[in-house]
Amino acid sequence: MTTSHGPDPRRMSSTTAAPAIPSLPFAPLVRTDLHADIDAVIGADTGRVLLICAPAGSGKTVLLADWAARRAAPPAGEPDVVWLTVTDRFNNQTTLWATLAARFRVALASGDLGPPTAPAAQLVEELSARATPAVLVLDDAHLITDPLALAGLEYLLHHAPPTLTTLLGARFPPPSRWYTLDLQARLTRWGAAELALAPDQVRAMCRDHGCELTDAELDTLVALTRGWAALVRIAAIHLAAHPDDRADALTVLARPPYAISGFLAGELIDDLSPAMLQFLTYTSVPVSFTEKLADDLVGGGAGHCLYELDRINFPITATVRGTDVWFTYNPMVRAYLLAQADRLGPALCSDLHLRSARWFRCAGLPRAALPHHLAELGQQHLCDFLSECALTMVLDGAGDILFDGLAVAAQALLDDPFLWLVRAVHALVRGDTTDAVACLDTGMARHAATRSFAPADRVNALAIAVPIDTAATAGTVIGNVPYTVAPTGDPDFDTYASIQIATALIARGAVARGEQLLRSSLALAEHRCHPRLMLHALTRLTVAASVVDAATAMRERAARALAVAAENGLLAATDTVQVTTIAAYGAYLQGYPPESAQVVAALDVHVDHDGSSTPVAGWHGQVIGYLLDLEQADDVRAAVDALRKSLLMLLEKAAPPSVTSSLLLPVVWALLRVQETEAAHLLVDRVRDSVGELPDVRLADAALTAAAHRPKATCAALGPVLDHAADLRPVTEITGWLLYATAQHDCGAPSKSVAALEKALRAAAPHRLVRPFLDVPTAIPLLDDSVGRFGRYERFAEFARRHPAARRKPTYPALTHTEMTVLELLPSGRTAQQIAAELGVSVNTVKTHLRGIYAKLDSNSRVDALGNARRSGLL
């Protein structure tokens, strides 16, 4: 083992005036940053004091000795270093000041020393007369306990000349009025945090002992030791001795091994009183504790014990969380104390765990209570805990912790029907609807066949609420369920159930009643300060607005939900993705372009454990995602095809008929935009076969007849729908009146056309639903032809006419099948003669088709025609 940098031989002598800087038995890590900080303290030139207090083995002596040794031969004008390692021999006034005077080469007056501070006063007077700066290092200063010696030390620190800097290393501060130095801005305090080794320094120390750590191993070691130098060194030696089973060696460190236990016992524990050791042992059971929890564990007096631990600088960290101060032991110290607790017997340990669990439950911290319930003897308290807290933990995002813990300590409970239903909720929180359905099916089967450990009212409530939540999240049909659930008395439980009942009401068309129940649920969630339930309620309120096409309300509610998600770290939650999608759809209905992040969120998928994937926003949300993607797609035809397929997938997933049909028209408009008329007809027939003759399906038929320029057929298709316009969703009603206005205009009935346009504007204005005016090809030209004829709706008509998207993409007359065939051959560069040969027609026929293509695409050359065709999505 190599030795450290020692003091300069020129400064060493055998006399008592020698600086006595200790030589280290190993090569220390060079703490360049801390050396620079010490130099900065000395350079302040105001008689500064640096107090370094940390437990044994933290590196106080190593740091000061290495720094002092590197300065042992200072240039002219640099501070001279005087070192004194305090031992019991120096714990008296006479020896302490005689030794310090000798090392400073000062002769104290002989005879009666007078007042206790007289020797220190003489030393201060002598040093004040010197111009040369000096540094006094007092190591192990906590060993100075003699009142007279302490009085002199305090005098020295408070009256030191500007040329003297004092560096004190101690396990805890010697009794003194340190606050006076604080008020004079002359005191700098360092503790274990400042001395703790950084990860790269831990890695370097292990490397010096022949142990090269991986990043994961380094993270584990840093978490265990918290950079405590002695523990790192012992751990490095331990790991180096087990090169072939490093994982097991790291596991052993967490127990901890004999070498670390011996160090902790000898340097930290053995000198403590039995009462203090009992306090430490009992309070090591929870990972962190407050003074109140400690009182529950030890039976009172925790405040005094915590004061004593602070006084002796015991390695315990205090952290403020809310209004409470939480105390945490160093992980290896806690492991040592837990081993002591195990020796107290299983009954006492179980009782300590039960006390901890009950305290955490009363404090509203079920996640912290769980491991203590799992460690108890017996399962009755655990079952009671799960009945009350399992759903809350899942909604808080702690489902993995809950079920992983049960899988290890109480696996038999996992087959309980109550926990299967809770696992379904956990899967929904994770965005895994496939797993949610599987857990739900198993839970319902167990519910029918097995009695649960949980109260019947809670199991029955979940048996109603979870199927609704699963169907709503996946976008499938909600079955027949009761409109009420008997309250359980648990606010979180009842809020969750109420949100699901409200969701079922909205799905059945009772939107107002559902919204009222959701607002009550939201108020309760806010009162409970439960962010996930708040987000859940706001998401379903946003869905309720989307059911009636209330675009402004959709966006406002979504904005509030997203604010809750951002404030509480829930931006990755399934509800957040769904509400983002609905907000984007609301903006789409009002004619605003989508944001890229919204499109990405809507098209995000969750990969299941079997490799399959489901859209996080639900199958309905995925269709919206592809619809939004169409607005910014470079390859329009590919985007339209993806949109069509997503609607077909929604059909396969048995979505509610009203949900599927509401998205039919946007897909039909997209197909017509790229001249895929036949595909549009097939899609409408497929949807009709699945959902029946719903109004949106009839409107899709009308859109197809309008595209084929058959106004009378369009009016005939629209008649039965518009006769019940008051019962339609706003977007459906607006589209119907716009198609009717187009058909009447083409039939030569301008007054009926204007009347239909006014009805469309009346339905659109409250929620500023401009999208139908952008989708129906002739809507904007009709508004242009009727300027000034809409009365109070003229302002909204002007908004629609001036919308940037109104003229963004030109609308061209439909190409015939043969014209489309010729158009698709143009990018190949073939001549008219070559195209004629390939199609088996005359060149004059091809030229006739080319003239028709140029006219319909408003072009006068092949290049212009191709450009316009690509921009419109025909190619």
Side-chain angles (χ1 to χ4, degrees):
M1 191 177 291
T2 58
T3 58
S4 67
H5 299 278
D8 191 317
R10 294 172 295 177
R11 296 287 308 281
M12 298 294 293
S13 74
S14 59
T15 68
T16 57
I21 301 172
S23 293
L24 302 174
F26 52 82
L29 289 172
V30 180
R31 308 294 298 273
T32 307
D33 52 340
L34 295 182
H35 289 182
D37 291 339
I38 294 175
D39 290 338
V41 171
I42 296 170
D45 197 28
T46 55
R48 296 293 298 267
V49 177
L50 173 60
L51 176 62
I52 307 176
C53 288
S58 298
K60 305 179 295 296
T61 300
V62 173
L63 170 67
L64 292 173
D66 189 39
W67 171 84
R70 293 172 187 276
R71 300 181 60 93
E78 285 294 310
D80 195 12
V81 177
V82 171
W83 182 291
L84 177 62
T85 298
V86 179
T87 64
D88 290 339
R89 185 167 70 89
F90 298 109
N91 189 26
N92 66 82
Q93 182 188 33
T94 303
T95 306
L96 176 64
W97 295 110
T99 303
L100 287 178
R103 297 202 175 174
F104 276 108
R105 299 179 178 86
V106 172
L108 297 179
S110 59
D112 187 5
L113 293 176
T117 58
Q122 291 184 50
L123 181 60
V124 168
E125 184 179 356
E126 290 289 339
L127 293 177
S128 299
R130 297 181 180 180
T132 304
V135 177
L136 170 61
V137 180
L138 286 177
D139 195 24
D140 286 341
H142 60 279
L143 295 178
I144 303 177
T145 59
D146 175 69
L148 299 181
L150 286 170
L153 176 62
E154 183 175 281
Y155 184 93
L156 172 66
L157 296 178
H158 286 76
H159 297 85
T163 55
L164 177 65
T165 302
T166 306
L167 312 179
L168 295 97
R171 295 189 182 184
F172 50 85
S176 180
R177 291 176 296 170
W178 298 104
Y179 63 87
T180 304
L181 294 174
D182 273 323
L183 292 173
Q184 295 172 359
R186 293 178 51 217
L187 178 63
T188 301
R189 296 175 185 260
W190 289 358
E194 285 76 17
L195 295 179
L197 301 179
D200 59 331
Q201 294 167 331
V202 173
R203 187 191 295 276
M205 182 176 287
C206 290
R207 186 183 296 121
D208 288 345
H209 287 80
C211 177
E212 189 67 44
L213 298 180
T214 66
D215 289 344
E217 291 168 345
L218 176 64
D219 291 342
T220 301
L221 186 58
V222 170
L224 285 173
T225 62
R226 302 286 174 86
W228 192 339
L231 298 185
V232 172
R233 188 172 298 279
I234 296 172
I237 295 170
H238 172 77
L239 293 174
H242 300 82
D244 297 328
D245 52 353
R246 189 75 58 75
D248 290 342
L250 279 169
T251 303
V252 170
L253 281 177
R255 292 178 185 172
Y258 178 78
I260 290 179
S261 296
F263 167 79
L264 294 176
E267 299 292 345
L268 201 66
I269 304 296
D270 286 350
D271 290 337
L272 298 175
S273 67
M276 185 61 72
L277 181 58
Q278 179 183 354
F279 175 86
L280 293 172
T281 303
Y282 283 19
T283 56
S284 69
V285 171
V287 175
S288 297
F289 62 91
T290 65
E291 183 178 335
K292 293 180 180 179
L293 173 54
D295 275 332
D296 279 0
L297 292 172
V298 301
H304 172 72
C305 292
L306 289 170
Y307 173 81
E308 277 299 301
L309 291 176
D310 183 56
R311 186 187 67 80
I312 65 175
N313 205 32
F314 193 85
I316 182 172
T317 303
T319 306
V320 177
R321 303 179 202 164
T323 58
D324 293 319
V325 179
W326 289 82
F327 300 94
T328 307
Y329 297 123
N330 177 281
M332 284 189 162
V333 174
R334 179 171 179 257
Y336 174 87
L337 295 171
L338 283 174
Q340 302 302 310
D342 287 340
R343 296 186 178 95
L344 299 176
L348 179 55
C349 284
S350 180
D351 182 62
L352 291 172
H353 282 295
L354 179 57
R355 292 187 205 178
S356 299
R358 285 175 173 169
W359 192 92
F360 283 123
R361 284 173 65 180
C362 291
L365 300 169
R367 188 182 307 198
L370 174 65
H372 298 290
H373 277 303
L374 293 174
E376 285 181 67
L377 298 176
Q379 292 186 340
Q380 183 57 51
H381 295 299
L382 173 61
C383 290
D384 293 342
F385 167 78
L386 294 173
S387 299
E388 294 181 14
C389 302
L391 181 64
T392 297
M393 286 189 66
V394 164
L395 294 175
D396 283 338
D400 286 333
I401 296 172
L402 172 67
F403 291 109
D404 289 348
L406 289 173
V408 172
Q411 190 171 15
L413 291 179
L414 289 174
D415 200 37
D416 187 90
F418 175 77
L419 287 181
W420 275 112
L421 294 173
V422 175
R423 284 176 69 176
V425 179
H426 173 49
L428 293 175
V429 169
R430 298 195 326 265
D432 190 345
T433 53
T434 302
D435 192 33
V437 171
C439 292
L440 174 61
D441 291 344
T442 304
M444 296 301 286
R446 295 287 191 277
H447 178 46
T450 308
R451 183 175 179 178
S452 172
F453 64 74
D457 59 345
R458 292 175 182 262
V459 184
N460 293 334
L462 283 185
I464 294 171
V466 177
I468 299 173
D469 197 7
T470 304
T473 303
T476 56
V477 177
I478 296 174
N480 293 322
V481 296
Y483 286 151
T484 59
V485 172
T488 66
D490 183 285
D492 291 344
F493 215 99
D494 293 339
T495 301
Y496 173 77
S498 295
I499 291 173
Q500 308 318 321
I501 294 298
T503 301
L505 288 169
I506 292 167
R508 298 284 162 71
V511 177
R513 185 178 169 191
E515 286 190 336
Q516 182 180 9
L517 187 55
L518 283 174
R519 289 192 179 93
S520 299
S521 302
L522 175 61
L524 184 55
E526 289 175 334
H527 177 71
R528 292 278 295 170
C529 298
H530 200 303
R532 194 175 290 272
L533 282 175
M534 291 167 57
L535 175 62
H536 202 42
L538 286 168
T539 299
R540 297 297 166 83
L541 277 169
T542 307
V543 171
S546 72
V547 169
V548 293
D549 293 335
T552 301
M554 290 161 64
R555 299 178 68 190
E556 290 175 350
R557 294 174 183 180
R560 185 178 173 188
L562 292 173
V564 170
E567 185 177 339
N568 296 280
L570 297 174
L571 290 176
T574 301
D575 281 334
T576 304
V577 176
Q578 293 188 344
V579 84
T580 299
T581 302
I582 298 172
Y585 185 60
Y588 170 83
L589 292 178
Q590 292 185 328
Y592 296 103
E595 300 175 8
S596 298
Q598 293 174 324
V599 177
V600 171
L603 295 178
D604 188 22
V605 296
H606 174 84
V607 180
D608 301 325
H609 59 274
D610 60 356
S612 60
S613 61
T614 54
V616 178
W619 298 103
H620 169 259
Q622 187 181 61
V623 179
I624 293 176
Y626 281 115
L627 183 62
L628 300 175
D629 187 49
L630 179 61
E631 294 296 297
Q632 57 187 22
D634 295 327
D635 189 342
V636 178
R637 292 188 71 84
V640 170
D641 191 53
L643 175 62
R644 178 185 64 84
K645 291 178 179 177
S646 69
L647 185 62
L648 292 175
M649 181 63 72
L650 182 64
L651 279 175
E652 291 182 8
K653 298 300 178 180
S658 60
V659 171
T660 303
S661 63
S662 68
L663 291 171
L664 174 60
L665 270 170
V667 182
V668 168
W669 292 127
L671 289 168
L672 292 176
R673 171 179 164 185
V674 295
Q675 304 293 324
E676 290 286 355
T677 306
E678 183 178 356
H681 277 284
L682 292 173
L683 180 64
V684 173
D685 291 340
R686 177 75 180 277
V687 174
R688 179 183 289 107
D689 292 341
S690 178
V691 305
E693 289 288 351
L694 293 180
D696 288 294
V697 178
R698 291 181 177 273
L699 251 66
D701 284 332
L704 293 174
T705 58
H709 306 291
R710 297 167 53 202
K712 292 184 178 180
T714 302
C715 289
L718 290 171
V721 178
L722 295 178
D723 286 343
H724 302 87
D727 299 329
L728 301 177
R729 290 170 56 132
V731 170
T732 304
E733 180 186 359
I734 298 163
T735 304
W737 287 121
L738 291 177
L739 287 170
Y740 188 76
T742 299
Q744 291 296 342
H745 179 271
D746 292 345
C747 289
S751 59
K752 291 184 178 180
S753 176
V754 172
L757 284 175
E758 185 174 356
K759 291 178 180 179
L761 291 168
R762 183 189 304 128
H767 300 297
R768 301 183 69 79
L769 299 172
V770 75
R771 175 53 55 181
F773 294 87
L774 306 178
D775 286 338
V776 178
T778 56
I780 299 299
L782 287 176
L783 291 178
D784 290 338
D785 293 342
S786 305
V787 173
R789 303 180 64 180
F790 302 120
R792 58 177 177 162
Y793 302 114
E794 188 63 43
R795 185 174 181 181
F796 182 75
E798 182 69 14
F799 169 74
R801 283 195 298 272
R802 294 184 178 276
H803 195 281
R807 302 293 182 184
R808 187 172 56 196
K809 294 184 176 67
T811 301
Y812 302 112
L815 302 180
T816 66
H817 176 72
T818 307
E819 288 173 341
M820 278 298 301
T821 302
V822 173
L823 177 64
E824 290 170 352
L825 291 173
L826 292 183
S828 67
R830 292 180 176 88
T831 64
Q833 184 66 50
Q834 290 170 329
I835 293 174
E838 181 167 337
L839 297 179
V841 297
S842 69
V843 67
N844 289 330
T845 299
V846 171
K847 290 180 178 180
T848 299
H849 291 317
L850 286 174
R851 286 194 294 272
I853 292 171
Y854 293 167
K856 291 179 179 180
L857 295 183
D858 192 23
S859 307
N860 54 20
S861 68
R862 177 180 292 206
V863 173
D864 286 345
L866 288 174
N868 290 340
R870 290 191 177 98
R871 283 189 290 273
S872 65
L874 292 176
L875 289 178

mmCIF file with all atom_site columns, all heavy atoms in Angstrom, residues 8 101 127 249 286 365 369 408 439 576 615 731 741 821:
data_model
loop_
_atom_site.group_PDB
_atom_site.id
_atom_site.type_symbol
_atom_site.label_atom_id
_atom_site.label_alt_id
_atom_site.label_comp_id
_atom_site.label_asym_id
_atom_site.label_entity_id
_atom_site.label_seq_id
_atom_site.pdbx_PDB_ins_code
_atom_site.Cartn_x
_atom_site.Cartn_y
_atom_site.Cartn_z
_atom_site.occupancy
_atom_site.B_iso_or_equiv
_atom_site.pdbx_formal_charge
_atom_site.auth_seq_id
_atom_site.auth_comp_id
_atom_site.auth_asym_id
_atom_site.auth_atom_id
_atom_site.pdbx_PDB_model_num
ATOM 1  N N   . ASP A 1 8   ? 6.746   18.157  4.354   1.00 0.00 ? 8   ASP A N   1
ATOM 2  C CA  . ASP A 1 8   ? 8.094   18.442  3.852   1.00 0.00 ? 8   ASP A CA  1
ATOM 3  C C   . ASP A 1 8   ? 9.104   18.188  4.965   1.00 0.00 ? 8   ASP A C   1
ATOM 4  O O   . ASP A 1 8   ? 8.966   18.724  6.073   1.00 0.00 ? 8   ASP A O   1
ATOM 5  C CB  . ASP A 1 8   ? 8.160   19.910  3.410   1.00 0.00 ? 8   ASP A CB  1
ATOM 6  C CG  . ASP A 1 8   ? 9.422   20.208  2.640   1.00 0.00 ? 8   ASP A CG  1
ATOM 7  O OD1 . ASP A 1 8   ? 10.498  19.737  3.051   1.00 0.00 ? 8   ASP A OD1 1
ATOM 8  O OD2 . ASP A 1 8   ? 9.315   20.920  1.625   1.00 0.00 ? 8   ASP A OD2 1
ATOM 9  N N   . ALA A 1 101 ? 1.220   27.076  21.978  1.00 0.00 ? 101 ALA A N   1
ATOM 10 C CA  . ALA A 1 101 ? 2.217   28.152  22.027  1.00 0.00 ? 101 ALA A CA  1
ATOM 11 C C   . ALA A 1 101 ? 3.543   27.667  21.469  1.00 0.00 ? 101 ALA A C   1
ATOM 12 O O   . ALA A 1 101 ? 4.230   28.382  20.710  1.00 0.00 ? 101 ALA A O   1
ATOM 13 C CB  . ALA A 1 101 ? 2.372   28.644  23.460  1.00 0.00 ? 101 ALA A CB  1
ATOM 14 N N   . LEU A 1 127 ? 0.225   36.599  18.153  1.00 0.00 ? 127 LEU A N   1
ATOM 15 C CA  . LEU A 1 127 ? -0.051  36.386  16.724  1.00 0.00 ? 127 LEU A CA  1
ATOM 16 C C   . LEU A 1 127 ? -0.497  37.679  16.047  1.00 0.00 ? 127 LEU A C   1
ATOM 17 O O   . LEU A 1 127 ? -0.240  37.885  14.847  1.00 0.00 ? 127 LEU A O   1
ATOM 18 C CB  . LEU A 1 127 ? -1.130  35.308  16.550  1.00 0.00 ? 127 LEU A CB  1
ATOM 19 C CG  . LEU A 1 127 ? -0.731  33.882  16.973  1.00 0.00 ? 127 LEU A CG  1
ATOM 20 C CD1 . LEU A 1 127 ? -1.918  32.933  16.820  1.00 0.00 ? 127 LEU A CD1 1
ATOM 21 C CD2 . LEU A 1 127 ? 0.452   33.383  16.140  1.00 0.00 ? 127 LEU A CD2 1
ATOM 22 N N   . ALA A 1 249 ? -22.042 -9.961  -3.991  1.00 0.00 ? 249 ALA A N   1
ATOM 23 C CA  . ALA A 1 249 ? -21.239 -9.148  -3.077  1.00 0.00 ? 249 ALA A CA  1
ATOM 24 C C   . ALA A 1 249 ? -21.939 -7.824  -2.775  1.00 0.00 ? 249 ALA A C   1
ATOM 25 O O   . ALA A 1 249 ? -21.913 -7.338  -1.638  1.00 0.00 ? 249 ALA A O   1
ATOM 26 C CB  . ALA A 1 249 ? -19.855 -8.903  -3.680  1.00 0.00 ? 249 ALA A CB  1
ATOM 27 N N   . PRO A 1 286 ? -39.103 1.882   9.872   1.00 0.00 ? 286 PRO A N   1
ATOM 28 C CA  . PRO A 1 286 ? -39.530 2.602   8.663   1.00 0.00 ? 286 PRO A CA  1
ATOM 29 C C   . PRO A 1 286 ? -38.329 3.211   7.933   1.00 0.00 ? 286 PRO A C   1
ATOM 30 O O   . PRO A 1 286 ? -37.312 3.541   8.556   1.00 0.00 ? 286 PRO A O   1
ATOM 31 C CB  . PRO A 1 286 ? -40.449 3.706   9.207   1.00 0.00 ? 286 PRO A CB  1
ATOM 32 C CG  . PRO A 1 286 ? -39.956 3.947   10.588  1.00 0.00 ? 286 PRO A CG  1
ATOM 33 C CD  . PRO A 1 286 ? -39.453 2.634   11.107  1.00 0.00 ? 286 PRO A CD  1
ATOM 34 N N   . LEU A 1 365 ? -50.633 7.877   3.801   1.00 0.00 ? 365 LEU A N   1
ATOM 35 C CA  . LEU A 1 365 ? -49.465 7.447   3.036   1.00 0.00 ? 365 LEU A CA  1
ATOM 36 C C   . LEU A 1 365 ? -49.494 5.922   2.867   1.00 0.00 ? 365 LEU A C   1
ATOM 37 O O   . LEU A 1 365 ? -48.674 5.195   3.423   1.00 0.00 ? 365 LEU A O   1
ATOM 38 C CB  . LEU A 1 365 ? -48.177 7.877   3.738   1.00 0.00 ? 365 LEU A CB  1
ATOM 39 C CG  . LEU A 1 365 ? -48.001 9.386   3.934   1.00 0.00 ? 365 LEU A CG  1
ATOM 40 C CD1 . LEU A 1 365 ? -46.835 9.671   4.869   1.00 0.00 ? 365 LEU A CD1 1
ATOM 41 C CD2 . LEU A 1 365 ? -47.806 10.076  2.592   1.00 0.00 ? 365 LEU A CD2 1
ATOM 42 N N   . ALA A 1 369 ? -47.085 2.527   3.975   1.00 0.00 ? 369 ALA A N   1
ATOM 43 C CA  . ALA A 1 369 ? -47.624 1.535   4.909   1.00 0.00 ? 369 ALA A CA  1
ATOM 44 C C   . ALA A 1 369 ? -47.508 0.116   4.370   1.00 0.00 ? 369 ALA A C   1
ATOM 45 O O   . ALA A 1 369 ? -47.391 -0.840  5.152   1.00 0.00 ? 369 ALA A O   1
ATOM 46 C CB  . ALA A 1 369 ? -49.083 1.858   5.216   1.00 0.00 ? 369 ALA A CB  1
ATOM 47 N N   . VAL A 1 408 ? -44.541 -11.158 -3.884  1.00 0.00 ? 408 VAL A N   1
ATOM 48 C CA  . VAL A 1 408 ? -43.425 -11.699 -3.099  1.00 0.00 ? 408 VAL A CA  1
ATOM 49 C C   . VAL A 1 408 ? -43.894 -12.199 -1.740  1.00 0.00 ? 408 VAL A C   1
ATOM 50 O O   . VAL A 1 408 ? -43.517 -13.284 -1.294  1.00 0.00 ? 408 VAL A O   1
ATOM 51 C CB  . VAL A 1 408 ? -42.328 -10.623 -2.926  1.00 0.00 ? 408 VAL A CB  1
ATOM 52 C CG1 . VAL A 1 408 ? -41.253 -11.111 -1.955  1.00 0.00 ? 408 VAL A CG1 1
ATOM 53 C CG2 . VAL A 1 408 ? -41.723 -10.274 -4.277  1.00 0.00 ? 408 VAL A CG2 1
ATOM 54 N N   . CYS A 1 439 ? -57.989 -9.037  -16.998 1.00 0.00 ? 439 CYS A N   1
ATOM 55 C CA  . CYS A 1 439 ? -58.150 -8.992  -15.542 1.00 0.00 ? 439 CYS A CA  1
ATOM 56 C C   . CYS A 1 439 ? -59.614 -8.812  -15.165 1.00 0.00 ? 439 CYS A C   1
ATOM 57 O O   . CYS A 1 439 ? -60.097 -9.406  -14.184 1.00 0.00 ? 439 CYS A O   1
ATOM 58 C CB  . CYS A 1 439 ? -57.316 -7.849  -14.957 1.00 0.00 ? 439 CYS A CB  1
ATOM 59 S SG  . CYS A 1 439 ? -55.528 -8.091  -15.074 1.00 0.00 ? 439 CYS A SG  1
ATOM 60 N N   . THR A 1 576 ? -54.441 11.739  -19.929 1.00 0.00 ? 576 THR A N   1
ATOM 61 C CA  . THR A 1 576 ? -53.812 12.908  -20.540 1.00 0.00 ? 576 THR A CA  1
ATOM 62 C C   . THR A 1 576 ? -53.740 12.757  -22.055 1.00 0.00 ? 576 THR A C   1
ATOM 63 O O   . THR A 1 576 ? -54.007 13.715  -22.808 1.00 0.00 ? 576 THR A O   1
ATOM 64 C CB  . THR A 1 576 ? -52.397 13.105  -19.972 1.00 0.00 ? 576 THR A CB  1
ATOM 65 O OG1 . THR A 1 576 ? -52.467 13.196  -18.550 1.00 0.00 ? 576 THR A OG1 1
ATOM 66 C CG2 . THR A 1 576 ? -51.760 14.362  -20.519 1.00 0.00 ? 576 THR A CG2 1
ATOM 67 N N   . PRO A 1 615 ? -53.922 1.524   -29.263 1.00 0.00 ? 615 PRO A N   1
ATOM 68 C CA  . PRO A 1 615 ? -53.723 2.977   -29.170 1.00 0.00 ? 615 PRO A CA  1
ATOM 69 C C   . PRO A 1 615 ? -54.045 3.479   -27.767 1.00 0.00 ? 615 PRO A C   1
ATOM 70 O O   . PRO A 1 615 ? -55.064 3.107   -27.182 1.00 0.00 ? 615 PRO A O   1
ATOM 71 C CB  . PRO A 1 615 ? -54.691 3.532   -30.217 1.00 0.00 ? 615 PRO A CB  1
ATOM 72 C CG  . PRO A 1 615 ? -55.704 2.468   -30.430 1.00 0.00 ? 615 PRO A CG  1
ATOM 73 C CD  . PRO A 1 615 ? -55.029 1.164   -30.173 1.00 0.00 ? 615 PRO A CD  1
ATOM 74 N N   . VAL A 1 731 ? -72.424 19.130  -35.581 1.00 0.00 ? 731 VAL A N   1
ATOM 75 C CA  . VAL A 1 731 ? -71.653 18.948  -36.815 1.00 0.00 ? 731 VAL A CA  1
ATOM 76 C C   . VAL A 1 731 ? -72.491 18.232  -37.860 1.00 0.00 ? 731 VAL A C   1
ATOM 77 O O   . VAL A 1 731 ? -72.451 18.572  -39.059 1.00 0.00 ? 731 VAL A O   1
ATOM 78 C CB  . VAL A 1 731 ? -70.359 18.169  -36.530 1.00 0.00 ? 731 VAL A CB  1
ATOM 79 C CG1 . VAL A 1 731 ? -69.671 17.761  -37.826 1.00 0.00 ? 731 VAL A CG1 1
ATOM 80 C CG2 . VAL A 1 731 ? -69.411 19.016  -35.687 1.00 0.00 ? 731 VAL A CG2 1
ATOM 81 N N   . ALA A 1 741 ? -78.187 23.028  -48.930 1.00 0.00 ? 741 ALA A N   1
ATOM 82 C CA  . ALA A 1 741 ? -78.035 24.327  -49.604 1.00 0.00 ? 741 ALA A CA  1
ATOM 83 C C   . ALA A 1 741 ? -77.392 24.152  -50.966 1.00 0.00 ? 741 ALA A C   1
ATOM 84 O O   . ALA A 1 741 ? -77.804 24.791  -51.952 1.00 0.00 ? 741 ALA A O   1
ATOM 85 C CB  . ALA A 1 741 ? -77.193 25.256  -48.731 1.00 0.00 ? 741 ALA A CB  1
ATOM 86 N N   . THR A 1 821 ? -56.863 7.118   -64.837 1.00 0.00 ? 821 THR A N   1
ATOM 87 C CA  . THR A 1 821 ? -55.868 6.167   -65.343 1.00 0.00 ? 821 THR A CA  1
ATOM 88 C C   . THR A 1 821 ? -54.786 6.895   -66.125 1.00 0.00 ? 821 THR A C   1
ATOM 89 O O   . THR A 1 821 ? -53.579 6.626   -65.962 1.00 0.00 ? 821 THR A O   1
ATOM 90 C CB  . THR A 1 821 ? -56.549 5.122   -66.245 1.00 0.00 ? 821 THR A CB  1
ATOM 91 O OG1 . THR A 1 821 ? -57.567 4.444   -65.485 1.00 0.00 ? 821 THR A OG1 1
ATOM 92 C CG2 . THR A 1 821 ? -55.545 4.108   -66.765 1.00 0.00 ? 821 THR A CG2 1
#
